[in-house]
């Protein structure tokens, strides 16, 4: 299926009737907290099968995934996915490799958060997103607030850094 910028792949709390394999594009995943705060906590990119926390057993979705650009996704019926997990021992290795890749991605993102200055963190985020954005500038994909959430600084700091570029 094809989703265009702003279209929703899944909503927070969805029952998980499907898993999704991202073939192209990018998605931001946000979570609405009880106090009304919306936090960007993940970026999904090509090659991932999501939701990650439902690769072995079903669970409602943890956030809402919104397309950041035109994206192609394969929708996989959860029943079919879990049947294959039960019947095909090699599926476990496939899932382990998917999760290993995500852990490595998260380690890289954590490294980016621990780099010295906010300007360096912003540059690393820009470079990483550039690998997947097909020339679309990261400020056309994410708001200053979202960029700040990804690199651990306030929106005002992002605004200042972008003006100084």
């Amino acid at each position: 299926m094809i989703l265009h910028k702003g279209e929703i792949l899944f909503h927070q709390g969805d029952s998980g009737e499907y898993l999704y394999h991202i073939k192209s594009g990018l998605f931001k995943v946000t979570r609405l907290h009880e106090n009304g705060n919306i936090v960007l906590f993940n970026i999904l990119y090509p090659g991932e099968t999501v939701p990650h926390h439902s690769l072995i057993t079903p669970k409602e979705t943890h956030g809402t995934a919104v397309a950041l650009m035109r994206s192609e996704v394969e929708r996989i019926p959860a029943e079919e996915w879990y049947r294959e997990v039960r019947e095909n021992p090699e599926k476990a290795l496939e899932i382990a490799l998917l999760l290993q890749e995500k852990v490595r991605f998260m380690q890289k993102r954590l490294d980016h958060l621990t780099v010295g200055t906010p300007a360096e963190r912003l540059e690393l985020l820009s470079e990483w997103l550039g690998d997947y954005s097909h020339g679309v500038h990261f400020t056309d994909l994410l708001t200053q607030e979202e960029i700040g959430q990804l690199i651990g600084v306030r929106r005002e700091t992002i605004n200042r850094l972008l003006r100084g570029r």
Side-chain angles (χ1 to χ4, degrees):
M1 67 193 222
I2 302 293
L3 286 97
H4 298 279
K5 183 175 182 170
E7 291 184 325
I8 295 175
L9 179 60
F10 53 79
H11 289 89
Q12 181 175 328
D14 281 354
S15 63
E17 292 179 50
Y18 297 96
L19 285 91
Y20 305 91
H21 178 74
I22 299 169
K23 293 183 168 194
S24 67
L26 289 170
F27 292 84
K28 66 179 179 182
V29 184
T30 59
R31 180 155 176 79
L32 173 63
H33 291 280
E34 288 181 16
N35 65 5
N37 287 341
I38 297 176
V39 177
L40 172 63
F41 73 91
N42 201 358
I43 301 285
L44 306 177
Y45 51 89
E48 291 195 90
T49 300
V50 295
H52 302 104
H53 67 274
S54 294
L55 291 175
I56 297 171
T57 59
K59 183 166 176 38
E60 70 279 349
T61 56
H62 190 68
T64 298
V66 179
L68 294 174
M69 60 178 46
R70 183 184 183 280
S71 302
E72 183 179 357
V73 176
E74 176 188 1
R75 188 167 65 174
I76 306 163
E79 217 172 272
E80 179 183 307
W81 176 271
Y82 296 123
R83 184 181 67 251
E84 191 174 346
V85 168
R86 285 188 309 273
E87 295 173 1
N88 181 358
E90 292 188 19
K91 189 75 172 174
L93 179 58
E94 177 187 335
I95 291 169
L97 290 171
L98 288 168
L99 292 173
Q100 173 182 272
E101 176 59 32
K102 193 59 181 186
V103 167
R104 289 177 178 172
F105 162 77
M106 297 305 290
Q107 286 174 323
K108 185 176 185 177
R109 290 286 306 123
L110 285 171
D111 285 346
H112 289 179
L113 284 173
T114 58
V115 164
T117 69
E120 290 171 305
R121 288 185 250 159
L122 183 62
E123 185 59 34
L124 288 169
L125 177 65
S126 173
E127 289 171 7
W128 180 82
L129 281 173
D131 291 343
Y132 298 99
S133 66
H134 307 288
V136 177
H137 194 266
F138 69 99
T139 57
D140 293 330
L141 299 173
L142 301 169
T143 66
Q144 289 182 7
E145 181 73 27
E146 291 168 335
I147 294 165
Q149 289 172 359
L150 284 175
I151 67 169
V153 299
R154 295 173 28 154
R155 184 201 56 78
E156 294 81 2
T157 303
I158 298 300
N159 189 2
R160 182 177 45 77
L161 290 169
L162 292 173
R163 280 189 316 221
R165 286 182 134 197

